[in-house]
Amino acid sequence: MLEGVILIALQIFFRDCMSAEVNIITIVVAIIIASILYPYILLKKTYSVSRIDLGICYQPILSTSLLIGSIICLGRILLLQNFSKGIILIIIQNLFVAIGEEFVARACLFYLLRKIISNEKLIMLISAIIFVFVFHSNSSLMDNLVWRLPVTILLVFVYSKTNSVINCSIVHMTYMNNLVV
């Protein structure tokens, strides 16, 4: 909801120059504020969390391997789409959507669930259900079951094993961008 309010405010502010680029910038800024900065500040103030507590950590071998795989997939997408400006804007938007969703769904939600539940598998299940059926409640049940649930199970597993929201964001962005093609 906060993201929508910020997005509307930015679109009103930039209404005289709403090109595709400006529209993407307003979406990215809204995502950064509502999905990353605000939750981080709230958790930091309430629970004194560190970035490590939330899984904001780079794991050289795994993160680099995932990033290389993602770059290869993005290169394939760009080649198939002839480097069109539209596809590049979609990729940029998907990058920030993936980072924002993973920060809220994995980092923040896992942190809060770990405070009240000790069973890691139950935390993974609850997190996946919330992400698929609450975060994406505007999509149909079949879309959520077919497209979101399988990758969400993978993302929950990756976060649980690596405790790195960066790795999840890379996998999420690669998945989203491959759906574009």
Side-chain angles (χ1 to χ4, degrees):
M1 178 152 159
L2 178 62
E3 189 174 297
V5 171
I6 294 168
L7 184 59
I8 290 168
L10 288 169
Q11 287 178 338
I12 290 170
F13 183 74
F14 290 113
R15 71 179 171 267
D16 294 332
C17 57
M18 281 307 286
S19 64
E21 295 86 357
V22 172
N23 193 31
I24 294 294
I25 290 169
T26 59
I27 291 169
V28 166
V29 169
I31 289 169
I32 290 170
I33 293 170
S35 298
I36 300 169
L37 293 177
Y38 181 73
Y40 179 74
I41 291 167
L42 188 64
L43 284 175
K44 184 131 178 100
K45 189 172 187 165
T46 307
Y47 297 104
S48 300
V49 298
S50 69
R51 63 180 187 79
I52 302 299
D53 293 334
L54 296 175
I56 305 171
C57 54
Y58 180 76
Q59 298 167 328
I61 295 173
L62 182 59
S63 298
T64 303
S65 300
L66 288 170
L67 193 57
I68 289 169
S70 182
I71 290 169
I72 290 168
C73 289
L74 290 174
R76 178 185 145 268
I77 292 167
L78 290 172
L79 287 173
L80 289 173
Q81 299 293 327
N82 296 323
F83 291 90
S84 72
K85 184 168 123 181
I87 197 72
I88 292 170
L89 293 175
I90 290 170
I91 289 170
I92 291 169
Q93 178 180 334
N94 286 348
L95 168 69
F96 285 96
V97 167
I99 292 169
E101 284 184 351
E102 290 307 311
F103 185 75
V104 172
R106 278 354 124 219
C108 298
L109 190 57
F110 256 72
Y111 178 81
L112 293 171
L113 288 171
R114 283 177 175 156
K115 290 205 133 318
I116 57 173
I117 301 171
S118 60
N119 184 331
E120 191 73 13
K121 288 182 179 160
L122 184 58
I123 292 170
M124 292 167 68
L125 177 66
I126 292 170
S127 172
I129 289 170
I130 290 173
F131 181 75
V132 171
F133 297 108
V134 176
F135 281 29
H136 296 95
S137 60
N138 60 334
S139 298
S140 73
L141 178 65
M142 283 309 292
D143 280 350
N144 285 334
L145 289 174
V146 172
W147 298 108
R148 289 184 183 88
L149 188 60
V151 77
T152 300
I153 291 168
L154 172 68
L155 293 169
V156 165
F157 182 78
V158 168
Y159 187 77
S160 179
K161 296 302 177 195
T162 65
N163 202 40
S164 172
V165 76
I166 294 170
N167 296 336
C168 292
S169 297
I170 294 168
V171 171
H172 189 151
M173 183 198 60
T174 304
Y175 177 77
M176 284 175 52
N177 285 331
N178 278 299
L179 287 180
V180 170
V181 175

